[in-house]
């Protein structure tokens, strides 16, 4: 196990793509093992692909790209502008609200951050917002997509940890809105201090708001339709992914009439690239997952943590701190696939609901994408906005602090996180 870890980090530091770093490190375990034939490693790669719930990942990736090509994003921006542009830091408020809406469409924090940086970033900077503040509001705001369904991270967590994806989707709704309120409050306080004005001084009239909501109705209905479909038993988590693709095609081609043959090809091309990367990581993680179980890593880590404390909430915080540190260096998808099989067996005997823990873990893991040294969302936004990393880091501290306070609050209130799953399922 030590050799596997050393090889993985050595390859990561050498700049090798994450999927191949995982694959080579995992295969090294079977090559050097005296008890397990190499053929078992190959079988683990194959068996990792033989999962019905796994179908949800490529389907939701495709649906997200299709949504972005069908005019839905533009309508969500208009809707966000109508609702919050009158507040202090109006354009930054639009970013936060748009991330909440986009969480129900794309399911990807990085995709949401990159899109907002291209569409809203230049306008914010031209309006007098600093590049660092603009980048921080966009990047950290995209964290909301980690919990608002259909979150790809929650799908992977449910797949690896054998946790109900339907319950995870329902559990993510309230935390997502709490994060939205916390970040919007942070924007308001910082905007007041820095003198960032409003976009429109007059509060929008109901006629304008209702018109914007009506234009964006198909985008706003989408996440609700997903939850209703899963809760009512019409769809499984995998089947609802297929429904999402069909929904995007129908809305784009027949309602908005903005889905052309060219944009369809673009969506398919972008989806194939994303799906290829994610699938390779999932398949090669099968070998590492087997090695983790074989070496009894969960039991060893559990004994170490329980040697410090037997209090369930303290164990959760120890795990979250460990995950946060790992998230500073490793991409979120990889962490979910590698750490979920380790921590689920630890928290379950302590009486901690894996759905509650999943929301906390996904929030912390995704936060790593907004922090140095290897934050994917951070680098994407700073690159698009031509923002120095050091300026981004300084401006992001209040936003990250707000998110950490929300995570602590959610950790102490499992009843709030589990309210919708317990009520509806």
């Amino acid at each position: 196990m030590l050799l596997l870890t050393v090889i993985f980090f050595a390859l990561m530091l050498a700049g090798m793509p994450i999927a191949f770093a995982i694959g080579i490190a995992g295969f090294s375990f079977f090559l050097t093992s005296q008890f397990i034939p190499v053929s078992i490693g190959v079988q683990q790669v194959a068996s990792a692909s033989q999962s019905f719930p796994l179908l949800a990942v490529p389907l939701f990736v495709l649906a997200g790209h299709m949504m972005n090509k069908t005019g839905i994003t533009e309508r969500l921006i208009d809707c966000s502008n109508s609702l919050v542009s009158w507040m202090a830091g109006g354009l930054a408020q639009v970013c936060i609200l748009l991330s909440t809406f986009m969480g129900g469409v794309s399911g990807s924090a990085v995709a949401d951050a990159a899109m907002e940086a291209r569409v809203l970033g230049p306008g914010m900077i031209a309006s007098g917002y600093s590049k660092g503040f603009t980048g921080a509001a966009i990047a950290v705001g995209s964290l909301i997509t980690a919990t608002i369904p259909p979150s790809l991270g929650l799908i992977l967590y449910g797949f690896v940890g054998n946790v109900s994806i339907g319950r995870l989707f329902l559990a993510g709704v309230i935390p997502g809105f709490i994060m939205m309120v916390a970040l919007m409050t942070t924007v308001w306080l910082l905007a007041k201090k820095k003198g960032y004005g409003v976009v429109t001084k007059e509060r929008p009239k109901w006629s304008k708001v209702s018109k914007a909501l009506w234009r964006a109705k198909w985008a706003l209905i989408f996440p609700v339709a997903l939850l209703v479909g899963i809760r009512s038993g019409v769809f499984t988590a995998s089947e609802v992914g297929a429904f999402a693709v069909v929904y995007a095609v129908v809305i784009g081609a027949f309602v908005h009439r903005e889905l052309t043959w060219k944009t369809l090809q673009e969506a398919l091309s972008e989806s194939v690239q994303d799906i290829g990367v994610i699938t390779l990581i999932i398949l090669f993680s099968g070998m590492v997952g087997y090695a983790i179980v074989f070496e009894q890593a969960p039991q060893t880590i559990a004994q170490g943590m329980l040697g410090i404390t037997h209090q369930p909430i303290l164990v959760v915080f120890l795990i979250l701190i460990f995950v946060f540190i790992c998230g500073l260096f490793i991409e979120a998808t990889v962490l979910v696939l590698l750490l979920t099989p380790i921590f689920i067996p630890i928290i379950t005997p302590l009486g901690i609901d894996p759905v509650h823990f999943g929301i906390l873990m996904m929030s912390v893991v995704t936060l790593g994408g907004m922090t140095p040294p290897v934050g994917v969302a951070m680098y994407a936004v700073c690159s698009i906005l031509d923002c120095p990393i050091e300026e981004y880091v300084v401006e992001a501290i209040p936003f990250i602090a707000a998110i950490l306070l929300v995570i602590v609050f959610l950790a102490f209130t499992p009843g709030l996180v589990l309210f919708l799953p317990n009520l509806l399922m």
Side-chain angles (χ1 to χ4, degrees):
M1 196 68 189
L2 177 62
L3 178 63
L4 184 155
T5 305
V6 170
I7 291 176
F8 172 68
F9 282 104
L11 293 175
M12 285 273 293
L13 292 173
M16 178 171 285
I18 291 176
F20 295 112
I22 293 174
I24 294 172
F27 200 63
S28 69
F29 173 81
F30 294 92
L31 283 175
T32 56
S33 176
Q34 299 178 350
F35 307 102
I36 310 174
V38 175
S39 60
I40 297 295
V42 178
Q43 290 174 14
Q44 292 305 311
V45 173
S47 63
S49 66
Q50 306 302 306
S51 171
F52 187 65
L54 188 59
L55 280 174
V57 175
L59 290 170
F60 274 118
V61 170
L62 175 58
H65 283 289
M66 295 287 288
M67 294 280 184
N68 288 335
K69 301 293 183 181
T70 56
I72 284 178
T73 301
E74 175 214 338
R75 287 164 172 79
L76 289 177
I77 292 173
D78 290 344
C79 183
S80 302
N81 262 314
S82 299
L83 290 170
V84 297
S85 60
W86 56 272
M87 299 172 66
L91 286 174
Q93 302 285 11
V94 171
C95 289
I96 305 301
L97 189 60
L98 182 59
S99 289
T100 308
F101 288 153
M102 288 300 295
V105 175
S106 71
S108 168
V110 177
D112 172 52
M115 180 277 297
E116 289 192 31
R118 291 190 186 95
V119 176
L120 299 176
M124 290 179 65
I125 294 171
S127 298
Y129 294 79
S130 70
K131 289 184 178 180
F133 180 85
T134 301
I138 291 173
V140 182
S142 69
L143 176 71
I144 299 172
T145 61
T147 61
I148 296 288
S151 164
L152 293 178
L154 291 180
I155 294 172
L156 291 175
Y157 173 85
F159 159 66
V160 178
N162 195 27
V163 180
S164 168
I165 295 175
R167 285 181 62 84
L168 285 167
F169 277 2
L170 287 168
V173 174
I174 293 177
F177 281 105
I178 292 175
M179 288 181 190
M180 179 193 75
V181 172
L183 290 175
M184 290 181 72
T185 303
T186 304
V187 166
W188 186 81
L189 293 172
L190 292 174
K192 286 284 189 182
K193 180 180 178 181
K194 297 174 181 291
Y196 296 146
V198 300
V199 179
T200 55
K201 293 186 178 181
E202 294 183 2
R203 295 195 181 191
K205 296 179 180 179
W206 172 245
S207 58
K208 183 180 178 182
V209 173
S210 59
K211 183 179 179 180
L213 288 170
W214 181 254
R215 285 192 75 230
K217 61 183 178 297
W218 297 109
L220 301 176
I221 288 172
F222 175 65
V224 178
L226 294 185
L227 295 175
V228 172
I230 293 175
R231 168 63 187 90
S232 62
V234 176
F235 308 114
T236 65
S238 302
E239 292 165 347
V240 82
F243 163 75
V245 175
V246 174
Y247 185 92
V249 171
V250 170
I251 298 302
F254 302 107
V255 180
H256 294 167
R257 299 188 177 183
E258 295 185 24
L259 182 63
T260 64
W261 178 246
K262 181 181 178 182
T263 55
L264 176 61
Q265 286 180 310
E266 291 174 355
L268 290 171
S269 175
E270 293 168 3
S271 299
V272 166
Q273 295 178 37
D274 289 347
I275 292 167
V277 172
I278 295 172
T279 303
L280 275 178
I281 293 174
I282 291 172
L283 296 184
F284 289 143
S285 295
M287 291 189 292
V288 178
Y290 184 91
I292 288 171
V293 174
F294 183 83
E295 292 291 329
Q296 296 186 324
Q299 292 87 335
T300 304
I301 295 174
Q303 289 176 0
M305 288 187 171
L306 293 176
I308 300 174
T309 177
H310 284 78
Q311 291 293 326
I313 190 64
L314 293 180
V315 173
V316 168
F317 278 119
L318 287 173
I319 292 174
L320 293 180
I321 292 170
F322 175 76
V323 170
F324 178 72
I325 294 171
C326 291
L328 298 177
F329 304 96
I330 304 174
E331 200 267 335
T333 303
V334 179
L335 282 181
V336 173
L337 292 169
L338 297 184
L339 297 183
T340 300
I342 295 177
F343 292 134
I344 289 289
I346 295 175
I347 58 105
T348 304
L350 294 175
I352 300 165
D353 193 300
V355 173
H356 177 219
F357 177 76
I359 300 299
L360 300 176
M361 179 174 170
M362 276 314 308
S363 300
V364 173
V365 164
T366 309
L367 186 60
M370 292 88 198
T371 54
V374 292
V376 180
M378 174 189 72
Y379 284 122
V381 169
C382 289
S383 174
I384 292 169
L385 299 178
D386 192 26
C387 172
I389 297 296
E390 56 271 20
E391 183 181 342
Y392 165 90
V393 170
V394 172
E395 296 281 8
I397 290 174
F399 293 97
I400 293 172
I403 290 296
L404 292 176
L405 286 175
V406 169
I407 292 171
V408 171
F409 171 72
L410 294 175
F412 282 105
T413 54
L416 183 64
V417 177
L418 299 173
F419 175 74
L420 287 179
N422 292 340
L423 178 69
L424 300 175
M425 296 188 73

